[in-house]
Amino acid sequence: MFPVARAARSLVARSIQHTAVRQAHRKRELTFHDKYGTMVLLGGAATFTAVWGYVVTQGNVAWGFSPVGRVTPREWRE
C-alpha cells in the first residue's frame, strides 16, 4: 500500500473514532421519534384498520375479480 493511502486511511479511521467517542460522552436528548414514535405508529395502524374495516363492511362493493354483470345502478331515492 502506498504511504499516502495508508496515511489517509489512518487519518479517516482516527477521525471516525474521535467522533464516536465524542458523541458517546454527550448527553443524548430524546427526538420526536423517541418520544412519540410508537404512539404515532399505533395510531396510524388503528386509523388504517378502522377506515378499511368500514369500507369492507359498510361499502356496497361487489367483491370479485370482474365487476361485469355484477354492478347495477341503484334506484334514485327521493
Side-chain angles (χ1 to χ4, degrees), residues 61-74:
V61 178
W63 298 100
F65 294 110
S66 174
V68 175
R70 294 183 192 184
V71 177
T72 57
R74 290 187 188 170

Side-chain angles (χ1 to χ4, degrees), residues 3-45:
V4 174
R6 188 179 316 132
R9 186 183 67 182
S10 78
L11 181 65
V12 169
R14 197 174 317 129
S15 68
I16 290 172
Q17 288 173 345
H18 180 70
T19 303
V21 167
R22 188 173 11 134
Q23 289 178 352
H25 291 294
R26 190 183 333 163
K27 251 189 181 174
R28 188 173 165 268
E29 58 189 45
L30 296 177
T31 63
F32 176 84
H33 297 290
D34 293 334
K35 290 180 184 177
Y36 308 110
T38 304
M39 293 309 296
V40 169
L41 180 67
L42 292 175

